[in-house]
Amino acid sequence: MKSFFSKEETKFFKDYFYKGFCIFDVRNIDSLNFLKDNIKNLILKEDKNLKKEKKDPFNNLHKFIKKKNINSFRLKIFKNLNNIKNIRFHYFKASSPFIEMISGNELMMQKNLNLSIQMPKDDESLLDIHADTWSGDSAYETVVWIPLVDCRDTKSMFILPANKYKNFLKITEKKKINNSKKIFDLLKKDFEWIKIKFGQVLLFNQTLPHGNVLNKTNETRFSMNCRFKSIFSPYGDKKIGEFFEPITLRPASKIGMKYKLPKF
């Protein structure tokens, strides 16, 4: 079949199919700074002690917030974050044009941005190995993951590369695997640990097993994530209006959706 994609796009797709994820430098730095600056303002406003750490309240959050208070702190930031005007617009722009290359140019976007905070040695902020499709998400969704700090090793996340997934399916057909620890132990030798800097964005296929482990570094991880999908692709448990809303619906699609055939 003849492809009308450019050489750059074709290579990008090939890499994405092989690994199941891609990391790229943000082209719209203003939008990325909009995200970080607004979250920084929320953090400084929420805790007076953090004003002493104006330069970097992100990596050093654990020096000011106790582990037992981190969940309530995160929920307050999350709530206020999603009330900021144009925050989702800038999140989309920070991932453009790569999210369009992966998911198309008529997109649904998650209604609320997610914020993750993982302090050193915090065992209550772990996300066990999973794939979003295991809990009812559509296989057509793409996750856009934006770090607000440099992430590496246990301060980051792991993912099973796409080229290892078929082997995983074969194993699950032969063995009975009924808990996340067994899955983790089975796959850990094949995991890819994401190394990414602030100023870069990760797009990944959320049908692949992924998660995080105890942060054994001496820095706190701040990252954001949001799901996108093609408007006309199949939906899972997360529906239009409830979880997703259209952000780039084109005129021809609007016309087609409203069209009524005349009665002759």
Side-chain angles (χ1 to χ4, degrees):
M1 184 176 70
K2 176 69 175 177
S3 171
F4 293 162
F5 292 117
S6 67
K7 288 183 179 180
E8 178 191 14
E9 288 173 316
T10 302
K11 183 182 184 306
F12 184 71
F13 298 157
K14 186 177 180 180
D15 290 344
Y16 190 80
F17 279 127
Y18 184 75
K19 294 191 296 184
F21 65 90
C22 61
I23 296 172
F24 59 88
D25 294 334
V26 174
R27 292 185 178 178
N28 195 324
I29 296 298
D30 288 342
S31 285
L32 181 63
N33 287 334
F34 180 91
L35 299 175
K36 188 166 186 176
D37 290 345
N38 274 278
I39 294 177
K40 180 178 179 180
N41 290 337
L42 292 178
I43 292 170
L44 297 179
K45 184 178 178 181
E46 192 60 41
D47 193 283
K48 295 178 181 179
N49 292 325
L50 277 162
K51 290 182 178 179
K52 303 171 186 175
E53 195 60 44
K54 285 186 178 180
K55 288 185 178 180
D56 186 9
F58 298 97
N59 279 301
N60 296 317
L61 183 78
H62 57 282
K63 296 178 181 178
F64 302 91
I65 304 294
K66 294 180 179 179
K67 285 183 188 177
K68 65 178 182 179
N69 297 328
I70 187 58
N71 194 46
S72 60
F73 177 85
R74 186 191 67 80
L75 288 174
K76 288 178 183 178
I77 301 298
F78 167 79
K79 181 180 178 180
N80 292 323
L81 165 68
N82 282 289
N83 287 328
I84 295 172
K85 185 178 180 180
N86 293 327
I87 192 75
R88 290 169 68 248
F89 169 80
H90 286 288
Y91 199 95
F92 167 64
K93 286 299 181 182
S95 65
S96 183
F98 298 94
I99 185 61
E100 292 100 327
M101 290 171 67
I102 293 295
S103 297
N105 65 4
E106 290 190 287
L107 292 171
M108 283 287 180
M109 182 180 183
Q110 187 174 321
K111 293 177 72 174
N112 288 313
L113 303 179
N114 291 325
L115 176 70
S116 296
I117 304 174
Q118 191 181 13
M119 299 197 300
K121 310 298 188 296
D122 178 13
D123 58 4
E124 294 186 3
S125 299
L126 301 182
L127 191 59
D128 286 339
I129 187 169
H130 68 289
D132 297 5
T133 46
W134 298 352
S135 55
D137 281 31
S138 167
Y140 291 80
E141 296 170 20
T142 301
V143 177
V144 174
W145 197 86
I146 300 181
L148 300 176
V149 293
D150 294 350
C151 298
R152 68 205 180 278
D153 303 323
T154 59
K155 190 188 173 188
S156 187
M157 61 168 281
F158 61 81
I159 186 168
L160 180 72
N163 63 310
K164 303 285 186 180
Y165 188 69
K166 285 186 178 179
N167 187 51
F168 167 60
L169 291 179
K170 289 178 182 178
I171 294 172
T172 58
E173 289 173 1
K174 296 176 182 178
K175 295 183 179 181
K176 186 177 181 180
I177 305 173
N178 52 18
N179 63 64
S180 59
K181 186 179 184 307
K182 285 184 179 180
I183 299 173
F184 182 89
D185 291 340
L186 180 69
L187 299 177
K188 61 183 178 182
K189 68 179 185 303
D190 293 325
F191 289 150
E192 179 108 16
W193 291 86
I194 301 299
K195 185 177 181 181
I196 186 169
K197 296 180 180 179
F198 173 70
Q200 296 180 311
V201 172
L202 166 72
L203 266 65
F204 71 89
N205 173 359
Q206 46 84 52
T207 69
L208 299 172
H210 59 280
N212 63 29
V213 295
L214 190 71
N215 180 2
K216 295 180 180 179
T217 73
N218 59 0
E219 296 174 333
T220 295
R221 169 167 72 85
F222 267 83
S223 62
M224 304 173 71
N225 69 79
C226 185
R227 287 159 181 77
F228 293 81
K229 69 187 298 298
S230 172
I231 288 174
F232 299 107
S233 61
Y235 291 78
D237 292 342
K238 294 173 179 176
K239 307 297 184 183
I240 301 173
E242 299 172 3
F243 188 85
F244 287 105
E245 64 181 13
I247 58 169
T248 53
L249 187 62
R250 305 289 175 169
S253 295
K254 290 182 179 180
I255 292 168
M257 291 166 73
K258 293 181 180 179
Y259 177 73
K260 291 184 178 180
L261 191 69
K263 295 179 180 179
F264 295 106

